[in-house]
Amino acid sequence: MWLKCRPDLAVETFEDGVALVEWCLARSRQQEEGGRVLVLLDQVMPGLDGLSAARLLRQTEAALQTRHKTRIVMVSAAVHSLASPDVDGAIQKPVQIPQLESVMSTFLPIS
């Protein structure tokens, strides 16, 4: 499996969208140094829903003029309702491992 071949990946979890956005902004320096960040956002989250979190992250990246934008993939049962310029992709619930691996390999290619 693709996921097992990636010891360079780290997984972080967050209680809400606000905590996620704060973490991504703190990681912006590492991204500028070549690190990659892929965020899987649920459409429904406490504090700040997924689309609002994506919008806030994009607005902040634009204000900071970051060179590498965070890759954002929404996770939802209603993928067709997730069209947004702030989102790079979507995965439908229930998430299947092959589907997740496909999205991850697109945004986190093996160097």
Side-chain angles (χ1 to χ4, degrees):
M1 289 173 86
W2 185 87
L3 291 173
K4 291 182 180 179
C5 299
R6 296 297 306 264
D8 58 319
L9 294 180
V11 175
E12 301 285 341
T13 59
F14 303 92
E15 293 294 320
D16 58 46
V18 174
L20 168 85
V21 170
E22 290 172 352
W23 180 86
C24 286
L25 297 177
R27 297 279 303 200
S28 64
R29 179 182 168 155
Q30 182 175 353
Q31 285 179 270
E32 292 304 309
E33 295 170 355
R36 294 187 178 115
V37 175
L38 170 65
V39 172
L40 300 176
L41 284 176
D42 199 308
Q43 183 176 1
V44 179
M45 296 187 308
L48 191 63
D49 66 83
L51 289 175
S52 296
R55 188 176 315 107
L56 178 60
L57 187 54
R58 293 289 185 242
Q59 291 169 347
T60 307
E61 287 175 335
L64 295 174
Q65 299 179 341
T66 57
R67 290 184 305 149
H68 303 286
K69 70 178 189 170
T70 302
R71 298 299 184 181
I72 300 173
V73 176
M74 294 297 299
V75 180
S76 175
V79 172
H80 63 278
S81 67
L82 298 178
S84 168
D86 301 316
V87 175
D88 299 300
I91 298 176
Q92 187 165 359
K93 289 181 183 178
V95 175
Q96 303 294 317
I97 295 298
Q99 180 185 27
L100 178 61
E101 288 179 335
S102 175
V103 167
M104 291 181 72
S105 66
T106 298
F107 295 114
L108 298 172
I110 297 174
S111 316

